[in-house]
Amino acid sequence: MAHKITLIPGDGIGPEVTEAARKCIEATGVEIDWEEAYAGAEAKAEFGELLPRKTLDSIKKNKVALKGPIETPIGEGFRSVNVAIRHALDLYACLRPAKSYPGVKSPYKDIDLVVVRENSEDLYAGIEFEKGKPETREIIRKIDACAEKTIRPDSGISIKPISEFASKRIVKFAFEYALKNKRRKITAIHKANIMKFTDGLFLKCAREVAGEYAGKIIFEEALIDNMSMQLVQKPNNYDVLVLPNLYGDIISDLCAGLVGGLGVAPGANFGDEAAVFEAVHGSAPKYKGKNKVNPTAMILSGMLMLKYIGEEKAAARLEDAVGAVLAEGKSVTYDLKPNRDDPAAAGTQEMAEAIIKKIK
Ligand code: NAD
């Protein structure tokens, strides 16, 4: 039976890269019944809102979506459509693998890291108080009254909630992912020496959950500052990294940089009820409609999706085909050419066609 999957083309380069990914996924022979749904500019034009209820309902019903990047127009009420989707569907785990593919220019070879980022809380919870507002002054007054430290009255405030529930949930997710994917080690990353009640709680939860997996997977802890240096110097020492939201966002971009950048960085967001697969990159509006950008990140996100829906063999065949085209270095987009102005660079769809030809 065909898998029913929601397809969200997205904004900017989104429609081009999702089209390339759709073609490559279909070329594996896996039968998919796509249900197109809209979010972003197209949704705004057609339905008058950036994130229509219909789109969320489609993802909830199908439980799996492949999503192009979505631009968030400034001053439209939403902090970000992407964050709104994650919150509405409680997609609490963001998975970002960073893997070296021969042929992709990068500072290292043989990197195979997986970043598991908590997606629902931390400084990204969106609880903020603007400098000078009455409620901000009130909060500062209350904090000054109950803490031994004072906050400067001309401060803006962002709240960093870290809960036991979300911390245990994300670390458990990381361990289950590691077991299922035969990974060897998990490193929990934090700054518990400074933020004792938030990162400290995250670390305590990580230790507790790790105890349940003792003997199955190695567990390590690292401070975020030290980890940033270690990842640049000795990335091969690490395997699966689990982090609270903000550190996860930063470290996953660092890891993407270790393996060749945004053009090749796939991602996925998981909840208990749904999963949304998307590239790490955004809508790169200046390249919109130019058939120029690299479709690899989106195609590899599709590969992760195939794995998730139980089509592991098709996923492996697709990944091999992507690897073969990257290694050959001929039919690749401008960003993967030694000279970015190379007139022989392939377009987005041409690279996808080259990948399709290599699917065995
Ligand atoms: P971006 O990732 O869209 O682009 C930054 C630069 O990276 C581009 O100018 C381009 O040089 C390069 N790049 C990105 N994707 C590429 C690809 N596939 N191939 C080759 N080069 C590529 O980041 P931005 O400019 O900060 O954001 C643009 C818009 O995208 C913003 O509105 C932002 O909110 C949104 N965004 C959406 C998502 C998402 O939907 N998940 C993620 C990040 C940003």
Side-chain angles (χ1 to χ4, degrees):
M1 210 176 68
H3 300 272
K4 189 133 193 183
I5 290 172
T6 302
L7 182 69
I8 303 172
D11 297 323
I13 59 168
E16 301 159 51
V17 291
T18 47
E19 173 61 11
R22 188 184 60 76
K23 286 194 292 202
C24 289
I25 292 164
E26 286 176 356
T28 64
V30 171
E31 268 187 59
I32 297 187
D33 179 5
W34 301 101
E35 184 170 273
E36 271 208 34
Y38 300 99
E42 204 163 346
K44 176 92 176 160
E46 197 160 327
F47 304 99
E49 49 185 341
L50 289 166
L51 179 56
R53 183 78 247 162
K54 220 172 142 191
T55 299
L56 286 174
D57 287 346
S58 168
I59 307 175
K60 274 187 191 156
K61 174 169 60 84
N62 298 326
K63 301 191 186 314
V64 184
L66 184 67
K67 174 189 153 301
I70 297 170
E71 204 170 313
T72 301
I74 294 160
E76 292 272 356
F78 272 126
R79 177 166 290 261
S80 146
V81 178
N82 301 300
V83 174
I85 292 177
R86 288 172 206 159
H87 277 201
L89 301 169
D90 196 16
L91 303 173
Y92 61 84
C94 175
L95 186 88
R96 289 182 173 172
K99 187 170 166 181
S100 305
Y101 289 96
V104 180
K105 217 175 12 168
S106 78
Y108 291 98
K109 288 193 178 81
D110 304 327
I111 299 223
D112 186 7
L113 290 161
V114 177
V115 176
V116 177
R117 163 187 169 194
E118 205 287 326
N119 236 355
S120 73
E121 55 180 22
D122 194 356
L123 280 163
Y124 286 30
I127 310 167
E128 296 202 287
F129 299 91
E130 197 178 337
K131 182 201 87 159
K133 287 275 164 77
E135 58 273 24
T136 314
R137 281 201 294 271
E138 176 62 10
I139 284 169
I140 291 176
R141 195 188 57 72
K142 283 197 173 144
I143 292 175
D144 284 353
C146 65
E148 278 169 21
K149 310 205 168 43
T150 55
I151 296 179
R152 290 193 182 95
D154 59 347
S155 299
I157 295 182
S158 297
I159 303 286
K160 172 175 165 132
I162 298 265
S163 68
E164 183 174 293
F165 171 79
S167 301
K168 284 190 175 165
R169 180 169 72 165
I170 195 66
V171 179
K172 206 168 177 52
F173 177 94
F175 272 95
E176 288 299 321
Y177 173 88
L179 275 183
K180 195 159 173 242
N181 292 277
K182 303 189 171 51
R183 311 293 303 208
R184 67 194 155 85
K185 179 166 86 172
I186 291 189
T187 309
I189 299 167
H190 62 92
K191 190 73 183 169
N193 53 338
I194 303 293
M195 284 161 280
K196 297 184 194 308
F197 300 140
T198 49
D199 286 27
L201 180 59
F202 174 82
L203 182 59
K204 178 174 169 283
C205 293
R207 286 175 181 163
E208 267 177 48
V209 173
E212 295 167 24
Y213 293 86
K216 292 184 183 149
I217 306 250
I218 302 166
F219 174 70
E220 279 180 356
E221 310 164 5
L223 287 163
I224 178 69
D225 41 353
N226 179 255
M227 193 65 194
S228 306
M229 187 190 71
Q230 297 290 341
L231 278 171
V232 171
Q233 289 193 324
K234 303 175 211 153
N236 288 316
N237 281 1
Y238 300 94
D239 187 12
V240 177
L241 314 175
V242 62
L243 313 90
N245 208 338
L246 173 66
Y247 308 147
D249 194 10
I250 297 167
I251 291 294
S252 56
D253 268 34
L254 187 155
C255 291
L258 293 174
V259 295
L262 286 176
V264 294
N269 299 287
F270 297 99
D272 290 333
E273 303 297 330
V276 175
F277 295 82
E278 63 179 335
V280 172
H281 65 69
S283 60
K286 71 176 175 192
Y287 292 109
K288 179 185 169 152
K290 295 203 168 135
N291 187 38
K292 193 168 160 127
V293 294
N294 191 344
T296 305
M298 201 67 218
I299 295 169
L300 290 175
S301 303
M303 180 276 291
L304 295 175
M305 186 191 83
L306 284 172
K307 258 191 198 173
Y308 178 74
I309 61 174
E311 301 284 358
E312 280 94 351
K313 283 190 184 139
R317 285 164 52 230
L318 179 55
E319 190 178 15
D320 287 349
V322 171
V325 168
L326 292 174
E328 229 172 57
K330 204 166 121 252
S331 301
V332 295
T333 45
Y334 74 100
D335 55 311
L336 295 176
K337 290 283 187 188
N339 167 13
R340 286 168 75 91
D341 298 322
D342 188 341
T348 310
Q349 303 312 325
E350 290 67 41
M351 183 166 178
E353 293 301 335
I355 291 168
I356 290 169
K357 282 201 191 112
K358 295 274 186 200
I359 296 177
K360 293 193 179 123

